[in-house]
Amino acid sequence: MTSAIPSAPLAPVSHGQRVAVAGKFLQLADGTPHFMRGVTYGPFKPNSRGEPFPEDDQLAADLRHITAMGFNTVRLYDPPTAAVLREVEALGLRLIVGIPWSEHVDFLASRALCREIETQVATTCARLGSHSCITAFLVGNEIEKTLVRWMKPRRVRAFIEKLIEIARRHAPQTLISYATYPSTGYLVPRNADFIAVNVYLESAAAFSACLAQWQNLAGNQPLLITEFGLDVASHGPERQAEVMRWQHDCLLSGSCAGGVWFAYTDEWFRGGKEITDWQFGLVDRERKERPACALQRGLPSVLPPPAAAPRISVVVCTHNGAATLSQCLDSLVALRYPDFEILLIDDGSRQHIAEIAKAHPQVSYQFQEHAGLSVARNLGARLATGAIIAYTDDDCIAHPDWLLHLSHAFADETVAAAGGPNIPPPPRNRIERIVAAAPGAPAHVLLNDTEAEHLPGCNLAIRKDALELIGGFKAEFKTAGDDVDICWRLRETGRRLLFVPGAMVWHHRRFTIRAYLTQQFGYGCAEALLMKTHPERFGYLGGARWRGGIYGDQHPADYPVEGSIFHGPLGLGAFQVIYSSSSFRWWEWFTGLLWLALLLLALVCQQLWLALGLLGFAGWSAWQVSARHAAAASIHGPLDRLLLWWLSFLQPVVREWARLRGMLALGARPSRHPLLPDIIPPTRPHKITLSLGTLCFWSETGITRDAWLQEMRKALRAAHIIFREDDGWRWFDIEAWPWSEVSRAFLSVTEFHANGRCLTRVKLLLRIRRSFGWNMLLWLIVTAILMAAGLHMLLVLGLVAVLAIILLLPLGVWFIRREMRRLARSAAASAGLIEMR
């Protein structure tokens, strides 16, 4: 076998340190930044010991070559053997370890299979978790899109999150995630340490746009591209090298924590056979290098500054912020950027702010009599010598590359401002952890994946000339609301605001419950001020009317329901997008002043039972809010969840009360004609779906759901049944009599088993229009009123009608189910499928 692999041994490198998450990026335990440069390895045909790796000599040579090319991480699709661990540890490489299991079948249909998968994850993590060379475990990889649609995204996500918790218990020092792909872009586990996604795109523009979308799905977590590559057989080796170059540039400019190239070699063994149709390797089967190998050795790991880096003035405004100011200034002094200054504006503090500033000679200190946040920010703008003014707060810690990422946003002259995420640092105690998870934190608002409507003032960079053009910040905003006002006014000039996911700062949330509630009260007062100036941007009940979608408190993939995901007709879309539904839920009417007003009214009218019902319902509503935030922050303890519920209960009351007081004092009123949002959330389907059972059909010759669907269409037409097919938004394939109050639908999926055999599952669905249920409830209410009124004859007729419906309903469902089973079986027989009973 010929080989171009260097044979000189490399000096062993001690790992010693684990890789940890640091906001949107990765770092070693000592704080050293870690950009993951990875390559996939395997799976291979079993060696002489039955292991899915090459023989030991070839394994050692491959890993030496990978190290020589500059890779620091290898992704495996099977747990490493002793030989793999020995070579990796000697070379100083790190591993991402995939844990294989039955992802190609409906695993949720079998409790025994779920337990087997959970045991496999637990065993693997317990056996390998002590190895510091393992950076991360992936508890799954690319569950097929039609299977996820079949099992329902929320149930699949819940199972993945359970596997992540199991893995974390057995490997607490190792990062844990799940590798998804664009066809299930809505499948984002909320408790993963980082977001892992496999992306194959052949255009730099499309790849960059995809990264921007995934950064928003990742939220405050790092984004890691765990597979990307190009088929040499289709495009040639020179094109592969070209794509590697721009893909790496996109990873850096897109603020990714790293990327994994697919693959090291063309040698690939999957499904019990050698795969020869594709050639994704940096080397061929004989380990001969392709041009991309030489390119890989010279790729940078850090985003370079712009060719003409603008001077940036960092402005920190403080008022009695001594508790966190020193840490803030330490982070600003350590910024990695070629041309910047630091201005500290002391807004009449009574603390030793000047002494803290003296301890940082690089900081220019300026005192002003206490006049509020906006006046202090305007003073900082007047003193600034930079073309860009970057604002942050005294309770923030800037990432070393904060300005570096911000500077690239201003290469476009149409951009007036830019900012990035503000992420709570690791909490020091229980109270900080709960407050950080509570609702109401500063959040950015996006019009699309890159353009913002609002950027929080703790991480906001503005062109100095754009700020001067609109007259700076308005002095009446003394503690909050100034950033919202400035962003709205900047957008009115026609220039854009950009969201830069890599331009992150750590932002301390409030340290005590009292401080948190005081903050929320201040936000309510600021909303009243904003309403006075911008009445058209507020709704009828006083809430801000955003034109974009709010990120931060609400994760865009939190509610994957039917109608919120465009998965393509029959679930076959290659890029399936989740459209964030409205973050408002109807029961949230009872988490603020509305329920309090109703409660007081009930007490005044001496309706004790109604008052108790309202109080209980308000508590339940607050629990729903707190449950979302607890899931996002991985808060599980009963006392912690109880405290989070209490804050979720108080927060809207405190904030709305402050806003109402401000509205009355200022005479602020929302406009009768508020602006309409640019992003209209999708509407929920008008029907609820009930399952009437599942049929299973087997094929030894590879017959799939496509053949069954074709025969089903023929059967429905032959029976003169009107039907419609999935338009890309529905969780059914075919719906019969779609316009009736009660319709019948079929959902199918095919599992691919070894040697070309297939199992097709067909679910029988009963879809009932929501109005039908409401009409039944109304009928019962009318019956109760008739009883109270003593109209016995009408009451008897109403009861007879209700009883008739209740008695006849099961019989009707039985007939519908029997007819649906007959149609499905007939179509399967015509398609050549064999029913499994």
Side-chain angles (χ1 to χ4, degrees):
M1 179 185 293
T2 60
S3 175
I5 298 174
S7 58
L10 299 173
V13 178
S14 174
H15 288 91
Q17 301 183 71
R18 295 275 187 169
V19 175
V21 169
K24 295 291 293 180
F25 301 100
L26 301 176
Q27 66 180 26
L28 302 182
D30 64 359
T32 303
H34 179 74
F35 182 81
M36 188 178 289
R37 294 178 60 187
V39 65
T40 68
Y41 191 64
F44 296 96
K45 183 179 180 180
N47 59 20
S48 58
R49 295 190 296 268
E51 301 165 342
F53 293 100
E55 300 298 339
D56 289 355
D57 290 344
Q58 186 64 67
L59 172 70
D62 288 348
L63 293 178
R64 284 200 301 271
H65 188 210
I66 287 171
T67 306
M69 283 192 291
F71 291 106
N72 59 25
T73 304
V74 176
R75 179 183 175 185
L76 305 177
Y77 295 92
D78 293 283
T81 61
V84 172
L85 290 171
R86 182 175 62 250
E87 294 296 334
V88 164
E89 290 174 350
L91 293 168
L93 286 169
R94 298 183 183 274
L95 296 176
I96 298 177
V97 177
I99 304 176
W101 47 272
S102 306
E103 298 152 327
H104 65 289
V105 302
D106 180 3
F107 48 86
L108 295 180
S110 168
R111 184 57 207 152
L113 181 55
C114 287
R115 285 195 295 267
E116 180 184 323
I117 295 167
E118 292 164 10
T119 301
Q120 171 73 7
V121 169
T123 303
T124 302
C125 292
R127 180 168 59 88
L128 299 171
S130 61
H131 290 270
S132 61
C133 64
I134 298 179
T135 294
F137 289 109
L138 298 179
V139 300
N141 183 70
E142 290 190 17
I143 301 175
E144 200 271 330
K145 55 183 179 288
T146 59
L147 263 174
V148 177
R149 174 172 170 257
W150 167 269
M151 293 182 286
K152 299 298 180 288
R154 193 180 295 192
R155 295 179 65 227
V156 176
R157 183 186 64 185
F159 184 72
I160 292 171
E161 290 174 347
K162 184 178 182 180
L163 294 182
I164 290 173
E165 289 300 326
I166 292 171
R168 186 169 287 123
R169 284 200 301 270
H170 291 87
Q173 294 180 291
T174 310
L175 304 181
I176 313 293
S177 189
Y178 160 81
T180 186
Y181 69 132
S183 292
T184 54
Y186 45 83
L187 197 57
V188 181
R190 296 164 294 181
N191 60 343
D193 290 310
F194 61 91
I195 301 304
V197 58
N198 306 332
V199 179
Y200 292 87
L201 289 169
E202 299 172 10
S203 157
F207 190 66
S208 294
C210 184
L211 293 185
Q213 182 181 79
W214 275 100
Q215 284 288 12
N216 287 315
L217 289 171
N220 291 340
Q221 299 166 305
L223 174 63
L224 186 66
I225 305 304
T226 42
E227 278 184 21
F228 58 93
L230 192 76
D231 182 15
V232 173
S234 301
H235 301 277
E238 298 299 331
R239 174 65 175 160
Q240 183 192 49
E242 177 190 342
V243 169
M244 173 178 277
R245 174 78 246 188
W246 61 249
Q247 280 190 334
H248 186 79
D249 291 343
C250 289
L251 291 178
L252 294 177
S253 61
S255 310
C256 293
V260 180
W261 183 267
F262 184 89
Y264 169 67
T265 174
D266 288 344
E267 187 179 348
W268 196 28
F269 187 84
R270 185 179 182 186
K273 62 180 180 179
E274 295 266 5
I275 305 299
T276 59
D277 298 338
W278 294 345
Q279 299 175 18
F280 280 83
L282 297 173
V283 300
D284 62 18
R285 292 173 176 272
E286 287 70 40
R287 302 322 196 250
K288 292 182 180 179
E289 288 192 347
R290 293 189 170 115
C293 291
L295 172 65
Q296 178 60 228
R297 295 186 178 99
L299 294 176
S301 296
V302 179
L303 179 69
R311 180 169 175 77
I312 300 179
S313 298
V314 179
V315 175
V316 183
C317 302
T318 185
H319 176 68
N320 295 327
T324 56
L325 180 60
S326 184
Q327 194 178 22
C328 171
L329 296 180
D330 288 342
S331 72
L332 297 178
V333 168
L335 289 172
R336 295 189 286 256
Y337 188 73
D339 188 10
F340 71 101
E341 64 176 347
I342 305 171
L343 304 173
L344 175 62
I345 310 300
D346 184 355
D347 181 33
S349 298
R350 298 183 302 276
Q351 299 174 337
H352 54 288
I353 302 299
E355 286 75 9
I356 295 175
K358 287 178 182 178
H360 300 82
Q362 304 92 329
V363 176
S364 298
Y365 172 76
Q366 181 67 43
F367 179 85
Q368 72 171 22
E369 293 297 330
H370 182 50
L373 180 58
S374 290
V375 174
R377 284 182 166 168
N378 285 334
L379 176 58
R382 289 196 298 272
L383 297 175
T385 61
I388 309 296
I389 305 169
Y391 291 100
T392 191
D393 290 348
D394 56 14
D395 56 353
C396 289
I397 304 167
H399 186 273
D401 295 326
W402 175 49
L403 296 185
L404 192 61
H405 286 275
L406 281 177
S407 63
H408 283 272
F410 291 97
D412 186 345
E413 291 296 327
T414 66
V415 173
N422 66 101
I423 302 173
R428 296 170 299 180
N429 53 54
R430 168 181 286 179
I431 297 300
E432 286 188 27
R433 184 164 179 257
I434 300 303
V435 168
H444 51 283
V445 180
L446 299 187
L447 294 163
N448 52 48
D449 289 318
T450 58
E451 190 168 350
E453 179 183 7
H454 167 245
L455 298 165
C458 59
N459 187 357
L460 176 61
I462 308 175
R463 289 188 191 272
K464 186 173 183 178
D465 59 355
L467 188 59
E468 292 172 344
L469 179 65
I470 62 173
F473 292 86
K474 291 186 176 180
E476 57 262 35
F477 295 99
K478 297 187 181 300
T479 59
D482 56 308
D483 49 359
V484 178
D485 172 74
I486 207 75
C487 288
W488 281 342
R489 288 192 289 132
L490 284 171
R491 278 186 47 81
E492 287 169 359
T493 67
R495 300 175 86 172
R496 299 189 300 143
L497 283 63
L498 289 189
F499 176 72
V500 185
M504 60 155 284
V505 300
W506 299 105
H507 185 202
H508 287 287
R509 304 309 190 232
R510 296 303 183 259
F511 298 120
T512 65
I513 292 176
R514 180 177 180 179
Y516 165 74
L517 295 176
T518 300
Q519 178 198 46
Q520 297 304 312
F521 187 88
Y523 285 165
C525 295
E527 286 173 340
L529 281 170
L530 286 166
M531 189 187 300
K532 181 71 173 178
T533 311
H534 306 277
E536 74 284 354
R537 293 186 178 271
F538 286 81
Y540 296 113
L541 295 178
R545 180 68 65 89
W546 297 104
R547 300 183 70 81
I550 298 177
Y551 290 83
D553 276 358
Q554 298 295 327
H555 196 289
D558 268 353
Y559 293 94
V561 296
E562 182 183 1
S564 69
I565 301 167
F566 183 76
H567 46 65
L570 304 180
L572 298 176
F575 293 87
Q576 299 189 8
V577 181
I578 184 166
Y579 291 79
S580 180
S581 57
S582 172
S583 62
F584 184 82
R585 300 293 180 266
W586 63 269
W587 37 260
E588 291 184 27
W589 288 110
F590 295 88
T591 60
L593 285 178
L594 178 62
W595 80 267
L596 187 59
L598 292 174
L599 177 64
L600 292 175
L601 181 61
L603 291 174
V604 168
C605 297
Q606 298 183 350
Q607 297 295 321
L608 182 60
W609 288 109
L610 179 58
L612 290 174
L614 286 169
L615 190 61
F617 196 82
W620 176 83
S621 302
W623 183 259
Q624 296 297 312
V625 174
S626 67
R628 298 204 308 264
H629 291 272
S634 297
I635 293 175
H636 303 295
L639 292 178
D640 291 352
R641 297 196 68 161
L642 182 62
L643 181 55
L644 182 58
W645 167 79
W646 179 240
L647 294 183
S648 301
F649 186 85
L650 290 179
Q651 185 264 347
V653 176
V654 170
R655 190 160 176 168
E656 290 184 26
W657 173 249
R659 186 174 64 207
L660 180 60
R661 275 190 18 160
M663 290 169 60
L664 294 174
L666 298 171
R669 300 288 185 275
S671 171
R672 294 184 179 180
H673 304 286
L675 293 172
L676 294 176
D678 292 349
I679 301 174
I680 304 297
T683 58
R684 296 185 63 185
H686 298 298
K687 292 183 178 181
I688 58 174
T689 303
L690 304 175
S691 175
L692 299 183
T694 300
L695 302 175
C696 298
F697 303 101
W698 182 257
S699 171
E700 291 284 340
T701 58
I703 300 173
T704 67
R705 64 191 284 241
D706 295 336
W708 179 85
L709 285 168
Q710 187 62 32
E711 294 300 325
M712 192 67 188
R713 296 182 188 102
K714 293 179 181 177
L716 291 172
R717 292 190 184 102
H720 304 289
I721 296 175
I722 299 173
F723 68 92
R724 67 166 176 168
E725 297 190 29
D726 170 33
D727 58 2
W729 294 92
R730 305 299 164 205
W731 287 349
F732 61 77
D733 295 333
I734 293 176
E735 182 181 22
W737 306 116
W739 299 281
S740 62
E741 292 290 317
V742 179
S743 59
R744 295 163 286 171
F746 302 86
L747 176 65
S748 64
V749 69
T750 294
E751 300 173 2
F752 295 90
H753 295 258
N755 302 318
R757 296 176 297 172
C758 295
L759 174 67
T760 295
R761 299 177 186 267
V762 178
K763 192 174 293 185
L764 313 179
L765 304 173
L766 187 68
R767 291 172 60 85
I768 304 173
R769 196 174 298 277
R770 294 179 186 274
S771 59
F772 181 80
W774 287 113
N775 291 337
M776 289 294 297
L777 178 61
L778 180 61
W779 189 277
L780 291 174
I781 292 173
V782 169
T783 302
I785 293 172
L786 293 175
M787 181 184 297
L791 301 177
H792 301 296
M793 184 57 68
L794 293 176
L795 173 61
V796 170
L797 292 176
L799 289 175
V800 168
V802 170
L803 289 173
I805 293 175
I806 292 174
L807 292 174
L808 292 176
L809 191 59
L811 183 62
V813 169
W814 183 83
F815 276 111
I816 290 174
R817 181 173 178 269
R818 189 183 68 168
E819 178 64 15
M820 292 178 72
R821 290 167 68 90
R822 185 190 66 78
L823 284 170
R825 286 168 173 163
S826 173
S830 300
L833 295 169
I834 302 171
E835 184 176 3
M836 298 179 64
R837 296 182 183 272

